[in-house]
Amino acid sequence: MGLLQRLSGDNAEKTALDERRADRLDPFLYDAELRNAYRFLVDGDWRRLERFLEESHLAWMFGDIILSDLVDLETVTFERWVDFKQTPRSRTYYASVQIRDAFRERAAIAAASTDGTIPRHEHQRFINRLNAAEEILYEVVTDRPALADPWVQLLVSGRGLQVHLEELRERFENAHSRGPFRPDATRQYLMSLTKKWGGSNTATFDFARWIEEESDDASPAREALPIAHIERGVLEHGLTDLATYLMQPDVVAELANGLLRFLQATPNPAPTEALGVLNAYALAITPEGESTARLAIETFARIDNRPTLYPWTAYSDDVSEVFTAIQAEQLRFANRF
């Protein structure tokens, strides 16, 4: 029996499993390994932290979370780490937080401006901070050539510095050769290919579909396809009318096919590394018929109130509130069938 035949509305009841409530946001997605690594970082247990970063398949996800607004760790936490010992990992994270802070400061300045512009001297300060971070990252690349992490962060800084797409592609290829289909690398490169950052729809979807064709069906990198559609929909229609884009028959068909393949290949309950894909599809999939309704129900059931930062912060910083509201709306439509 196929997945679509096995799914039913009863799966919606799974969203109430154990203590996972939508009003109790856990930035570590109820994952003990990620939470322990956070304790290593804030407690200064650098040796165990670096062992986790060397050995865990969730190391890339830890970086995403720790450098995000969900956790909002102070810069001094990373300065203590690099002051204790200048390892390739500590230097990479030190540079990463410099990049994070530069983007944050620029966004705050733009928000405070009446027209959203940034004074020339502030823009130059932003550029200088990114260049300083890149200098550290390239030193790490020289000292530890096999490490993928600095190349991922060079994709982030490169977007801010508006380097040519050819150079960004080279940075992605360096990350990919060291960590094939790393979700953070594929996401950062995908964002650089969008029209918002000077790319094109053709380049964005060529890359997302390449991920679909070449990666394993259960790869966390498969968030690329729903992200590509969400980003295009927001750019062309805005958040308030995103559904207009997502409801187009060809968009629905491509997303449903990608989601079905991912669900068929992924264990249930969903492992932590699958949550990025599931959360992106939870927003992107349109329950416009029986089959897509079942896919939407199953997607939210597997998320089990474990929202990731993307895509919900596009609406608000209150991830729990946005996730709960959209989940209710999606399931309301899905339960019509």
Side-chain angles (χ1 to χ4, degrees):
M1 184 180 292
L3 178 68
L4 286 178
Q5 286 70 43
R6 288 188 282 107
L7 302 184
S8 71
D10 293 339
N11 286 330
E13 296 174 3
K14 295 179 184 176
T15 58
L17 289 176
D18 49 59
E19 82 281 13
R20 296 167 187 171
R21 297 199 333 244
D23 62 348
R24 187 185 294 157
L25 178 66
D26 183 350
F28 302 104
L29 306 167
Y30 296 93
D31 189 285
E33 189 178 11
L34 290 173
R35 190 180 289 107
N36 287 339
Y38 167 76
R39 294 308 324 168
F40 299 155
L41 177 60
V42 298
D43 291 345
D45 194 345
W46 315 121
R47 291 181 178 85
R48 282 208 283 180
L49 175 61
E50 296 224 9
R51 190 181 310 123
F52 161 81
L53 294 173
E54 287 289 337
E55 298 174 358
S56 175
H57 70 289
L58 294 177
W60 65 270
M61 203 169 197
F62 178 75
D64 270 359
I65 293 170
I66 289 300
L67 294 170
S68 75
D69 291 334
L70 277 177
V71 176
D72 197 25
L73 274 175
E74 294 183 357
T75 307
V76 68
T77 303
F78 300 90
E79 292 173 342
R80 287 170 50 219
W81 182 10
V82 79
D83 286 344
F84 173 78
K85 191 170 186 180
Q86 296 222 6
T87 64
R89 296 284 186 189
S90 69
R91 289 153 64 201
T92 298
Y93 268 84
Y94 178 73
S96 302
V97 81
Q98 305 308 313
I99 296 169
R100 181 201 70 178
D101 291 350
F103 274 100
R104 280 184 177 178
E105 184 176 304
R106 188 183 71 161
I109 292 170
S113 172
T114 55
D115 57 1
T117 59
I118 299 175
R120 180 175 298 180
H121 71 282
E122 293 290 356
H123 176 70
Q124 189 58 51
R125 172 177 160 80
F126 171 72
I127 297 299
N128 291 344
R129 293 179 74 179
L130 293 185
N131 281 327
E134 288 211 338
E135 185 175 339
I136 296 171
L137 293 170
Y138 277 117
E139 289 174 356
V140 175
V141 166
T142 300
D143 294 343
R144 183 84 181 273
L147 200 61
D149 301 64
W151 289 108
V152 176
Q153 291 303 315
L154 284 165
L155 285 167
V156 183
S157 58
R159 189 163 66 245
L161 291 169
Q162 297 183 307
V163 302
H164 292 300
L165 285 177
E166 292 80 3
E167 183 176 341
L168 282 173
R169 182 171 61 249
E170 186 174 314
R171 294 182 182 195
F172 170 75
E173 289 172 351
N174 274 297
H176 182 65
S177 65
R178 291 158 174 79
F181 298 106
R182 271 186 58 141
D184 49 355
T186 56
R187 187 188 327 111
Q188 294 299 340
Y189 185 51
L190 179 75
M191 290 298 187
S192 301
L193 294 175
T194 61
K195 290 180 72 173
K196 179 170 64 177
W197 288 96
S200 66
N201 287 333
T202 298
T204 302
F205 282 93
D206 281 351
F207 180 67
R209 288 163 184 154
W210 174 76
I211 297 292
E212 287 288 300
E213 292 171 5
E214 299 297 329
S215 66
D216 292 339
D217 284 355
S219 171
R222 283 178 175 261
E223 66 181 8
L225 184 63
I227 289 175
H229 280 295
I230 291 169
E231 292 298 318
R232 179 177 180 178
V234 170
L235 186 65
E236 295 181 357
H237 296 271
L239 274 172
T240 56
D241 202 23
L242 176 60
T244 298
Y245 171 82
L246 294 175
M247 289 176 65
Q248 296 178 85
D250 58 333
V251 174
V252 173
E254 183 171 39
L255 287 169
N257 181 62
L259 176 54
L260 178 58
R261 289 174 61 192
F262 185 75
L263 292 175
Q264 288 174 327
T266 308
N268 188 15
T272 305
E273 60 269 25
L275 292 174
V277 184
L278 293 172
N279 274 266
Y281 269 116
L283 176 62
I285 194 68
T286 301
E288 42 71 72
E290 184 177 354
S291 61
T292 49
R294 289 175 177 174
L295 288 172
I297 290 168
E298 178 71 4
T299 299
F300 279 105
R302 293 202 193 185
I303 290 172
D304 187 26
N305 287 328
R306 292 176 291 170
T308 51
L309 189 65
Y310 187 94
W312 315 113
T313 49
Y315 293 88
S316 167
D317 289 337
D318 192 335
V319 174
S320 292
E321 182 179 13
V322 173
F323 174 77
T324 302
I326 293 180
Q327 176 180 235
E329 187 73 0
Q330 288 281 68
L331 294 181
R332 182 174 69 84
F333 278 103
N335 285 322
R336 297 178 303 164
F337 300 99

